[in-house]
Amino acid sequence: QVQVVESGGGLVQAGGSLRLSCTASGLTFDEHPMGWFRQGPGKEREGVSCISRSGDTTYYADSVKGRFTISRDNAKNTLYLQMNSLKPEDTAMYYCAASSRPICGGIWSFKVAYKYWGQGTQVTVSS
């Protein structure tokens, strides 16, 4: 049984930082590109970032480029999202997902590209 579990969310002031973690079990972690998504209040779930199976290729939404960094440790079956210079508009539930495709590719930000999802971790940024 595949389990994907996020952690590291919390309340932070604008300009602050958080690091999210995601551990996955029940799957061969290094065979899956991994992604982070978020869903703010009253908004659609949107792609934040994707990382290739080896970790050498990354993708970011324009809204987080230069502030967020995705990384992975395949030996620990763990995905990370380092979030710096946080803004109130980053407030959302953040989800980790394992892709069903061999690469992130052009559709990395679409939910349909991902097979396994976590339950999410809440990030709240106060102004």
Side-chain angles (χ1 to χ4, degrees):
Q1 182 179 354
V2 176
Q3 284 192 316
V4 178
V5 180
E6 304 93 337
S7 61
L11 174 63
V12 64
Q13 287 189 330
S17 298
L18 280 175
R19 189 175 83 152
L20 306 184
S21 298
C22 166
T23 57
S25 60
L27 54 74
T28 306
F29 186 73
D30 62 5
E31 290 185 355
H32 296 267
M34 297 293 295
W36 286 102
F37 283 72
R38 68 184 181 186
Q39 187 166 12
K43 297 181 179 180
E44 293 289 321
R45 192 172 298 190
E46 63 174 354
V48 173
S49 185
C50 185
I51 188 167
S52 64
R53 292 181 291 188
S54 65
D56 60 357
T57 304
T58 57
Y59 300 78
Y60 296 95
D62 287 343
S63 58
V64 307
K65 206 170 289 184
R67 300 188 298 122
F68 290 11
T69 303
I70 191 171
S71 62
R72 65 191 296 163
D73 185 338
N74 287 342
K76 296 181 179 180
N77 283 15
T78 302
L79 175 73
Y80 303 99
L81 186 68
Q82 178 67 44
M83 305 186 296
N84 299 328
S85 303
L86 282 161
K87 305 175 181 180
E89 51 264 44
D90 294 319
T91 294
M93 185 71 79
Y94 282 72
Y95 298 90
C96 168
S99 178
S100 58
R101 297 168 52 82
I103 61 172
C104 291
I107 65 167
W108 72 265
S109 62
F110 290 84
K111 299 189 296 284
V112 69
Y114 297 82
K115 185 174 183 179
Y116 303 110
W117 292 83
Q119 294 300 306
T121 185
Q122 178 67 39
V123 172
T124 303
V125 184
S126 63
S127 57

